[in-house]
Amino acid sequence: MMPRLARALCWAAATAAVLAAATLLPQRTALQALQIDLAAGLRAHLFARLPEASAVAVVGVDARSLEAPPLAGRPRALLSPVWAEFAALALRHGARAVALDFVLAFDAAEMAEGFERHDDALLRALLQHGRAGRLVIGRGRSAVPARRFRAAAGARGVGVIEVPLGPDGAVRR
């Protein structure tokens, strides 16, 4: 109990110091952003109860993954069967929802002949899970998913992936 109290007192002292300094500066400074972070941290230490297991898992697909088999050499616009398989596996193994944090802007059927059915697995998954909000695809302010993906996902299956950043580049909303 004592180490937790000591940490909380350190958070409180740091927050108070940053808050005092931030009140003297113009709006929207990095110091004010730090103050918000410290206040959130203090609140978490004092009042939050941590769950035994995380309710969220983030699966990142980085450049190294995209350059390794079986994805190597495949255009990203033609990866919809991979995303469909990933979503199906995640949902089958207990995920409550899967969000693809990118815009599926290209429809293979519109790109070249012979690809009319290429996106069928993802379209079926979006029809089955998107409308219930269990499989969500991304959209930006100006970038939207291809028409067939949007239609299959429905309103609950499309989410905004752009978030405002603070002056220090951190997300706080």
Side-chain angles (χ1 to χ4, degrees), residues 68-142:
L71 304 180
R74 291 179 79 172
R76 292 183 187 161
L78 297 177
L79 289 177
S80 69
V82 174
W83 309 136
E85 182 180 357
F86 166 74
L89 284 168
L91 292 167
R92 190 176 323 126
H93 289 283
R96 285 188 233 149
V98 173
L100 302 177
D101 189 16
F102 47 85
V103 179
L104 295 164
F106 301 101
D107 183 336
E110 296 175 4
M111 292 174 58
E113 272 189 52
F115 284 90
E116 292 80 13
R117 303 193 60 83
H118 183 79
D119 296 326
D120 283 1
L122 185 55
L123 289 167
R124 278 192 305 275
L126 287 167
L127 281 168
Q128 182 179 1
H129 302 291
R131 295 172 186 277
R134 295 194 65 217
L135 176 55
V136 180
I137 57 175
R139 75 170 303 275
R141 290 182 192 168
S142 59

